[in-house]
Amino acid sequence: MSVYRPLVQSDPTRPAGAVLLAGGPLWFTHAERLTRGSRPELVTAAEIPPEPLARLSASRAPIAGVTFDAPRLMGILNVTPDSFSDGGLHHEPTDALIAAREMMERGADILDIGGESTRPGALEVPVNQEIQRVLPVIGAIGAELSIPLSIDTRKAAVAEIALAGGAALVNDVAGFTFDPDLAPLCARLGAPVCVMHALGDPTTMQHDPRYDDVVLDVYDFLQARIDALVEAGVARDQIIVDPGIGFGKTIAHNLTLLHNVSVFHGLGCPVLLGVSRKRFIGVIGHAPIAAERAPGSIAVGLAALAQGVQILRVHDVAATAQALRLWRAVRDNKEK
Ligand code: HH2
C-alpha cells in the first residue's frame, strides 16, 4: 500500500489542477508516493487515487469549537512537579489560572492540561493523584475563562472526571492503547480525541527505538488507531492525529517525520504537532536549557505549518503567536 505526501504550496495564484489541502488555503499539484522498500516517486495530483485524494482535500470539521481555516495554537499547562520544562510552575490552581489567562490573551486557541509527565524516563502517576492535580485547575479555568480545555491523559478514570469538570477534548499520548476503557468512554460521552503515536511507554521509550520505515510505521499505527476509535464509536471527524515527536524516536526519526509531516493529512484528520522545547531542539539548536528553546521550537513549528499542520502544541504561546502573525502576513501579503 502506498501513501501520498502532498508537496504543499501557499501562493494565492494557483495553477489549473491544484488541489486544496484539507479545504484550503494551502494547496498542491504534486505529491510523493511513498511505498515500503521503494524510493519515493513524484506523481501529479491527478494520479492520486480518488479515496486518498478525497481524504487529503476534504475540509476538516471543527473540533471542540476550534475551526481549521487557520493555524491554531494549543497552550501547554502541565500541573506536575516534574514535567521536563514547566514542571512545578502551575501546581496551584491560582498559578495555573494566571498562566491560562495569559496564554489565552496572547493567542492560544485551546489549552492542554496534564497531570502526569510523559517525559522520557517518567514513572506512572496513580489515578487519584492525577485527578487531584488536574481537576481543581480545570474547574478554576472553566469558571473564569472561555477557552476549550484538553485533558492530556492516558486513563479513562481521569478523562471521565475531567470531561465532567468541563474539559472538551481527550489527548492521549499512548494513542488509546494504555487503557482499554478510554476509547469507549470518549465514544459514550461524544468527546473529541487527539490520538498520538508513541513507541513503548515513557519509562523505556528512548531505549534504542527502531522502525522498519518510521514515516510509514507511524502512519499505519495512526490509521489503525483511527479505525479502532471509529469501531469503538468515536466520530471520525472528531479525531485529531499526532505523530508524537520524541516519543520512542531518535533525533533522526524526529527529523524524518517532520520533513515528511504533510503525509499525515492522508489520514483525513487535522494534524497536531508537539515539538515545543523537546530535546532535539536543544541538541540541534545548542540550547541545553529547555526554557531557552523557544526560537528553535518556533522555527520547526513554522516549517510544519507550511506543510499544512493545523495545530501546534506549545509552551511559548506569546512568542509563537507573534511569529505566526508575521509568517502569515508575509505569506499572504496582508497586514491582517
Ligand atoms: N508531548 C508531551 C505531552 N503531551 N501530547 C501530544 N498530543 N503531542 C505531544 O507531542 C505531546 C503531548 C510532552 O511534552 P510536555 O507536556 O511539555 O512534557 P511532560 O510530558 O514532561 O509533561
Side-chain angles (χ1 to χ4, degrees):
M1 245 259 304
S2 299
V3 298
Y4 296 86
R5 177 172 92 83
L7 304 182
V8 182
Q9 302 194 58
S10 61
D11 274 279
T13 9
R14 294 195 291 266
V19 174
L20 295 186
L21 178 72
L26 305 180
W27 51 272
F28 60 99
T29 56
H30 288 74
E32 268 183 358
R33 179 160 52 212
L34 307 179
T35 313
R36 260 175 218 282
S38 306
R39 290 162 64 89
E41 292 167 281
L42 188 66
V43 298
T44 63
E47 291 175 273
I48 302 176
E51 226 183 274
L53 188 64
R55 282 199 303 270
L56 285 168
S57 58
S59 298
R60 307 314 188 214
I63 293 185
V66 177
T67 59
F68 299 110
D69 44 350
R72 301 297 175 200
L73 297 183
M74 172 186 264
I76 302 171
L77 200 57
N78 285 316
V79 199
T80 54
D82 58 341
S83 284
F84 77 93
S85 86
D86 61 348
L89 289 181
H90 316 120
H91 218 50
E92 293 299 320
T94 40
D95 297 334
L97 181 60
I98 291 168
R101 188 181 295 116
E102 169 153 353
M103 283 197 262
M104 187 181 144
E105 286 169 358
R106 299 296 198 96
D109 300 289
I110 184 163
L111 297 178
D112 192 35
I113 319 284
E116 177 182 64
S117 173
T118 45
R119 73 186 190 287
L123 297 176
E124 195 181 328
V125 173
V127 167
N128 282 347
Q129 196 175 355
E130 200 179 326
I131 291 172
Q132 277 164 19
R133 288 177 180 176
V134 294
L135 194 60
V137 169
I138 291 173
I141 298 173
E144 284 241 0
L145 305 177
S146 177
I147 184 165
L149 302 180
S150 153
I151 175 71
D152 186 342
T153 188
R154 303 180 288 171
K155 299 168 198 147
V158 178
E160 184 159 19
I161 286 184
L163 290 167
L169 173 87
V170 175
N171 172 28
D172 181 3
V173 298
F176 296 81
T177 61
F178 181 82
D179 182 343
D181 295 335
L182 186 54
L185 173 85
C186 295
R188 181 160 56 80
L189 299 179
V193 302
C194 175
V195 56
M196 197 198 81
H197 173 274
L199 186 68
D201 61 63
T203 314
T204 56
M205 66 189 180
Q206 289 308 108
H207 298 172
D208 191 25
R210 284 170 196 244
Y211 295 86
D212 176 26
D213 176 314
V214 66
V215 173
L216 296 179
D217 289 2
V218 171
Y219 190 99
D220 288 349
F221 170 89
L222 291 173
Q223 181 66 72
R225 298 317 302 158
I226 292 171
D227 292 345
L229 285 162
V230 171
E231 177 78 28
V234 176
R236 187 180 289 273
D237 69 0
Q238 294 299 294
I239 300 174
I240 297 168
V241 294
D242 180 346
I245 296 301
F247 283 81
K249 282 130 189 146
T250 62
I251 292 184
H253 294 142
N254 289 331
L255 294 180
T256 302
L257 286 167
L258 291 166
H259 179 82
N260 289 286
V261 73
S262 66
V263 76
F264 298 104
H265 296 300
L267 294 163
C269 301
V271 181
L272 183 149
L273 197 68
V275 297
S276 189
R277 300 186 182 178
K278 286 189 176 167
R279 199 180 71 86
F280 80 101
I281 307 262
V283 173
I284 298 176
H286 300 179
I289 298 168
E292 294 177 2
R293 295 177 190 161
S297 306
I298 292 169
V300 177
L302 294 182
L305 296 183
Q307 291 203 45
V309 162
Q310 283 91 350
I311 311 170
L312 294 180
R313 182 182 181 277
V314 301
H315 297 90
D316 302 287
V317 169
T320 312
Q322 181 189 121
L324 181 51
R325 281 188 207 107
L326 269 296
W327 178 78
R328 286 185 72 192
V330 174
R331 185 192 75 182
D332 301 341
N333 191 12
K334 252 195 334 212
E335 193 178 327
K336 278 208 173 130

